[in-house]
């Protein structure tokens, strides 16, 4: 693909996520970052973007809106609150927004589950890092049996959770919970987030519990989970199971009803080490998903030209 | 009887919250009503009622609760004539919505619990407690894992968010008397709000640590009747009160009525609780979150591995409260190690 056919995009937010995304988009044959927007002149992200030859501004999103017709695609890496302010402005300026905050304005997208359903949307939401890591597994199980209730626990290294995440932990749990049913296909869902300050920092860990409805087939559930892990690992190479899925038979009085069995998938995500070190798999899975979604939307934009 | 003076500290009894761990979150509404009546009669000023892992804690990971906790909280507020009803809430597990519901159900004290290094996560929830007209408490869990100075810095953050009280929480029951003393002293001199201590009895030091904390000027102390709580249990309320009264420390709680509450009302719920067995002791020894105990025992049984090995490995990995899922992870690893050992033997 030639340089000219790459679709120009902007990143709003120069924190951990925005900066990691900048590195990944730098390798994309479909997208090129033309502008990085921050609010803090001294932020590490703006400095690194400048060094990479990308236009930067610390004067906020108005600068981007003035140049809206240059950027058909904008990645939002700020906070849910900020995205709620920005989203109508992007739409008015004709930009398609890929939202990496838990704002949930557009449809929730997880690449291996429903990407192709939402390519025409003006705003898509990437849920949360925990959502990207766990909804595919719930979807894999719900594809082969009833899942009356799904529950996930995402544990990330304290060092990898920026102020946006820390001050809005409820948004993480609520948005992720919604995705377990809306995207994953469980009847009900619950998400839990834990921060672990251990040094050296731990890899991102995700545990998925799925209540199994009567008539499930253990081999089918097992194989479906493994196939999905392979699919996610295609774009997040450090995504893997810690052990074979664990099946427990017992009576579990879940919010989705009583069941006689559950499956537990224990996952870890090792990051690519683009911006933060490899422990920050939570950044990696979010930004890798964003690139995947961005590239698919870039194809649509290119065809429409 | 001595001339009555103001109590030297405020007691919070957590039998109906920390004790929830010990009964795998199976309290009935009737049990809650009877325990609240007995504690209230003994003049306990604050009674905490929640899932062991806080409101919203009902889950695969921490155990599903038998009775909707908002029903339990409402029942407690109906029974209490003097006592305030408190709830615990762990950001990341419960949500602000859970706190709103608890306030609607009549709870007036919100205890926001975070791992001792993550105080900034509690800012929103402390602000909400204030907005709801609740008294707010910042509850710094696993405080044995960090230095007194580090802990004091985190306590300062909570103080700056407007917390009415900051608690030093020995969730692992791992503090020696000196550990407790130094942490309370550091926090006390760093904040302008009140300071509390929440002790577990894994090293049989819960009462001693609470009394040492009192010498360092602590304003609030947690207990559980009969010690009913996670791990080997908490600071037994009735023993704390008896020891205080004998030391000339005014508590405001009736020593004989609190003994009755413990013996006649709480002990029948779990008659065998209170023995510090090897697993409970190991939690304190290895510095592991007390609530892991029953989950570790269950995993040991379910996956055919040793509870002791699970606890030691959890200590090695420095897991924090909320990471109960790591117990399954550790059990799987122990299974693999056992299988590998078998292969290399044959």
């Amino acid at each position: 693909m030639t340089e000219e056919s790459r679709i120009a995009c902007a990143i709003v937010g120069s924190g951990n996520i925005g900066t990691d995304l900048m590195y990944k988009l730098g390798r994309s044959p479909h997208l090129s970052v033309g502008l990085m927007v921050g609010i803090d002149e001294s932020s590490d992200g703006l400095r690194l973007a400048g060094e990479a030859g990308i236009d930067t501004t610390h004067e906020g999103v108005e600068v981007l809106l003035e140049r809206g017709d240059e950027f058909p695609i904008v990645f939002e890496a700020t906070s849910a609150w900020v995205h709620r302010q920005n989203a109508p402005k992007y739409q008015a300026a004709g930009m398609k927004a890929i939202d990496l905050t838990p704002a949930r304005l557009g449809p929730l997208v997880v690449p291996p589950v429903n990407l192709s359903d939402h390519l025409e949307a003006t705003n898509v939401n990437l849920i949360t890092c925990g959502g990207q890591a766990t909804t595919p597994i719930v979807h894999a199980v719900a594809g082969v049996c009833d899942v009356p209730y799904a529950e996930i626990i995402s544990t990330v290294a304290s060092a990898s959770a920026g102020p946006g995440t820390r001050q809005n932990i409820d948004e993480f749990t609520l948005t992720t919970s919604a995705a377990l049913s809306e995207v994953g296909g469980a009847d009900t869902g619950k998400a839990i987030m834990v921060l672990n300050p251990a040094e050296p920092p731990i890899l991102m860990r995700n545990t998925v519990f799925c209540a199994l409805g009567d008539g499930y087939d253990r081999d089918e559930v097992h194989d479906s989970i493994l196939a999905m892990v392979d699919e996610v690992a295609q774009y997040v190479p450090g995504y893997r199971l810690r052990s074979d899925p664990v099946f427990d038979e017992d009576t579990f009085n879940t919010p989705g009803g009583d069941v006689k069995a559950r499956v537990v998938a224990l996952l870890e995500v090792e990051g690519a080490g683009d911006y933060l070190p490899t422990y920050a798999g939570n950044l990696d899975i979010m930004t890798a998903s964003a690139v995947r979604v961005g590239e698919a939307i870039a194809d649509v934009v290119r065809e429409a030209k | 009887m001595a001339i009555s003076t103001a109590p030297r500290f405020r007691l919070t009894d957590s039998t109906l919250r920390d004790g929830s761990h010990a009964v795998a979150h199976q309290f009935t509404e009737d049990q809650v009503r009877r325990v609240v009546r007995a504690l209230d009669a003994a003049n306990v000023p604050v009674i905490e009622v929640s899932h062991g892992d806080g409101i919203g804690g009902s889950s695969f990971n921490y155990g599903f609760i038998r009775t909707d906790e908002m029903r339990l909280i409402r029942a407690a507020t109906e029974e209490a004539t003097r006592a305030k009803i408190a709830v615990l809430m762990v950001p990341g597990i419960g949500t602000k919505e859970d706190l709103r519901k608890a306030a609607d159900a009549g709870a007036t004290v919100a205890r926001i619990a975070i791992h001792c290094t993550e105080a900034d996560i509690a800012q929103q929830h402390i602000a909400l407690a204030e907005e709801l007209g609740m008294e707010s408490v910042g509850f710094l869990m696993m405080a044995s894992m960090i230095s007194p100075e580090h802990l004091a810095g985190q306590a300062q953050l909570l103080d700056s968010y407007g917390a009415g009280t900051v608690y030093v929480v020995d969730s692992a029951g791992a503090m020696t008397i000196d550990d407790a003393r130094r942490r309370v002293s550091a926090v006390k001199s760093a904040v302008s709000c009140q300071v509390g201590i929440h002790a577990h009895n894994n090293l049989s030091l819960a009462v001693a640590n609470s009394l040492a904390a009192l010498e360092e000027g602590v304003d609030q102390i947690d207990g559980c009747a009969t010690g009913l709580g996670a791990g080997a249990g908490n600071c037994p309320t009735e023993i704390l009160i008896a020891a205080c009264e004998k030391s000339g420390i005014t508590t405001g709680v009736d020593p004989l009525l609190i003994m009755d509450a413990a013996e006649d009302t709480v002990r029948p719920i779990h008659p065998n609780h209170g023995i510090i067995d090897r697993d409970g002791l190991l939690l304190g020894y290895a510095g592991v979150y007390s609530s892991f105990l029953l989950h570790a025992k269950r995993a040991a049984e379910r996956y055919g591995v040793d509870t002791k090995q699970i606890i030691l490995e959890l200590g090695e990995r420095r897991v924090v409260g909320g990471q109960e899922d790591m117990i399954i992870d550790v059990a799987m690893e122990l299974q693999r190690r056992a299988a590998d050992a078998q292969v290399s033997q044959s």
Side-chain angles (χ1 to χ4, degrees):
Chain A
M1 191 153 306
T2 63
E3 182 66 24
E4 294 71 45
S5 64
R6 293 203 298 172
I7 300 294
C9 62
I11 299 173
V12 179
S14 60
N16 290 345
I17 293 265
T19 310
D20 197 73
L21 179 63
M22 175 189 82
Y23 282 107
K24 285 191 174 56
L25 287 172
R27 296 194 292 266
S28 171
H30 301 272
L31 290 157
S32 74
V33 183
L35 178 65
M36 183 138 172
V37 178
I39 49 168
D40 177 4
E41 193 173 7
S42 64
S43 78
D44 202 30
L46 289 184
R47 182 180 61 78
L48 292 166
E51 283 173 18
I54 295 169
D55 283 359
T56 64
T57 174
H58 65 274
E59 287 168 342
V61 77
E62 301 308 324
V63 177
L64 166 65
L65 295 170
E66 281 165 21
R67 296 173 56 183
D69 47 0
E70 290 176 49
F71 304 108
I73 296 175
V74 55
F75 292 90
E76 181 87 56
T78 56
S79 69
W81 187 84
V82 172
H83 184 61
R84 285 187 200 110
Q85 317 300 310
N86 290 346
K89 301 175 191 167
Y90 298 147
Q91 191 166 1
M95 290 183 274
K96 283 174 174 275
I98 298 169
D99 174 20
L100 288 81
T101 81
R104 276 181 78 188
L105 297 181
L108 306 177
V109 172
V110 182
V113 177
N114 66 352
L115 174 58
S116 54
D117 299 347
H118 300 297
L119 293 177
E120 303 293 338
T122 54
N123 186 318
V124 294
N125 179 268
L126 291 179
I127 316 171
T128 58
C129 55
Q132 289 296 328
T134 60
T135 7
I137 303 300
V138 176
H139 181 76
V141 178
V144 294
C145 70
D146 282 343
V147 178
Y149 171 74
E151 176 183 313
I152 70 102
I153 299 95
S154 256
T155 304
V156 305
S158 299
S160 71
T165 306
R166 293 175 163 274
Q167 278 160 24
N168 294 288
I169 198 162
D170 271 31
E171 280 167 342
F172 174 95
T173 54
L174 295 173
T175 300
T176 310
S177 296
L180 298 178
S181 47
E182 286 175 30
V183 183
D187 295 345
T188 55
K190 178 173 177 66
I192 293 165
M193 184 183 201
V194 180
L195 296 177
N196 181 311
E199 288 293 338
I202 59 159
L203 292 182
M204 183 201 199
R205 295 296 316 262
N206 296 282
T207 298
V208 182
F209 289 94
C210 288
L212 300 172
D214 286 345
Y216 76 95
D217 181 300
R218 188 181 280 224
D219 291 338
E220 267 182 16
V221 173
H222 173 275
D223 294 350
S224 184
I225 292 174
L226 264 59
M228 183 57 85
V229 171
D230 286 344
E231 217 172 311
V232 176
Q234 283 174 18
Y235 61 97
V236 189
Y239 183 84
R240 57 190 173 240
L241 278 169
R242 288 266 307 173
S243 60
D244 244 12
V246 180
F247 289 84
D248 295 322
E249 287 178 359
D250 205 333
T251 302
F252 299 102
N253 312 112
T254 82
D258 294 355
V259 296
K260 298 193 198 76
R262 72 180 184 192
V263 64
V264 192
L266 300 155
L267 299 145
E268 72 184 4
V269 189
E270 182 176 359
D274 285 323
Y275 177 49
L276 287 189
T278 53
Y279 61 76
N282 44 317
L283 290 193
D284 217 59
I285 195 161
M286 200 62 184
T287 52
S289 298
V291 172
R292 187 86 156 186
V293 173
E295 289 180 338
I297 291 178
D299 281 344
V300 175
V301 170
R302 195 178 297 111
E303 278 162 28
K305 270 187 176 175
Chain B
M1 197 72 187
I3 299 162
S4 91
T5 51
R8 274 270 300 282
F9 63 92
R10 187 176 80 168
L11 173 73
T12 294
D13 185 282
S14 185
T15 308
L16 296 172
R17 199 281 300 168
D18 215 319
S20 174
H21 289 296
V23 298
H25 317 294
Q26 299 301 298
F27 281 134
T28 63
E29 185 178 330
D30 181 55
Q31 286 171 334
V32 167
R33 285 184 184 278
R34 283 189 286 123
V35 172
V36 171
R37 273 203 298 273
L39 295 173
D40 189 62
N43 209 24
V44 171
V46 184
I47 299 170
E48 186 174 53
V49 183
S50 299
H51 183 285
D53 297 88
I55 46 177
S58 185
S59 57
F60 272 128
N61 205 31
Y62 311 121
F64 292 111
I65 199 164
R66 172 179 176 149
T67 313
D68 177 74
E69 57 198 331
M70 296 307 154
R71 226 175 91 197
L72 299 181
I73 293 163
R74 201 173 288 284
T77 59
E78 283 167 12
E79 296 297 336
T81 62
R82 288 171 292 196
K84 288 180 153 188
I85 301 302
V87 293
L88 187 88
M89 192 268 189
V90 183
I93 299 176
T95 62
K96 285 180 274 184
E97 191 50 34
D98 294 316
L99 201 54
R100 285 196 186 90
K101 284 188 201 156
D104 282 348
T108 55
V109 182
R111 308 216 299 173
I112 312 299
I114 56 271
H115 183 72
C116 56
T117 55
E118 312 297 318
D120 56 356
I121 290 171
Q123 185 170 8
Q124 274 197 340
H125 305 88
I126 288 172
L128 176 63
E130 191 170 337
E131 191 186 310
L132 294 170
M134 300 171 92
E135 181 189 324
S136 67
V137 175
F139 205 70
L140 289 165
M141 299 190 288
M142 295 295 282
S144 58
M145 286 179 87
I146 59 175
S147 70
E149 296 71 32
H150 189 176
L151 187 67
Q154 294 288 301
Q156 267 172 342
L157 284 178
L158 294 172
D159 191 19
S160 75
Y161 304 151
T165 309
V166 174
Y167 258 76
V168 174
V169 183
D170 185 12
S171 318
M175 288 188 200
T176 62
I177 295 174
D178 190 49
D179 288 337
R181 202 183 272 287
R182 289 194 301 132
R183 281 168 179 75
V184 168
S185 163
V187 169
K188 187 73 193 165
S189 53
V191 300
S192 56
C193 65
Q194 295 209 344
V195 176
I197 185 162
H198 175 101
H200 279 266
N201 210 29
N202 304 334
L203 295 175
S204 197
L205 291 173
V207 173
N209 286 350
S210 301
L211 292 175
L214 204 53
E215 286 178 11
E216 300 301 329
V218 92
D219 308 286
Q220 301 190 28
I221 300 178
D222 282 7
C224 292
T226 76
L228 192 70
N234 288 65
C235 177
T237 307
E238 68 284 7
I239 300 178
L240 174 74
I241 297 302
C244 283
E245 296 292 329
K246 288 201 59 147
S247 312
I249 297 165
T250 307
T251 66
V253 177
D254 188 306
L256 292 175
L257 287 179
I258 193 71
M259 283 185 222
D260 289 349
E263 195 60 28
D264 300 336
T265 311
V266 176
R267 197 174 306 284
I269 296 172
H270 196 334
N272 300 325
H273 191 271
I275 298 162
I276 305 177
D277 63 6
R278 182 179 58 195
D279 295 334
L281 172 57
L282 267 177
L283 297 168
Y285 182 71
V288 173
Y289 197 60
S290 294
S291 320
F292 287 176
L293 182 62
L294 288 189
H295 298 284
K297 284 183 192 283
R298 200 172 306 124
E301 199 174 311
R302 193 173 259 155
Y303 307 118
V305 294
D306 183 18
T307 312
K308 182 173 78 177
Q309 294 303 325
I310 294 178
I311 293 171
L312 288 171
E313 176 70 20
L314 290 168
E316 286 282 312
R317 292 192 187 184
R318 296 179 71 77
V319 293
V320 303
Q323 288 192 276
E324 273 74 348
D325 53 321
M326 285 304 104
I327 295 168
I328 304 176
D329 191 78
V330 165
M332 290 300 114
E333 182 161 330
L334 293 174
Q335 266 189 355
R336 274 195 300 275
R337 281 189 212 160
D340 290 349
Q342 210 149 35
V343 169
S344 64
Q345 266 173 19
S346 60

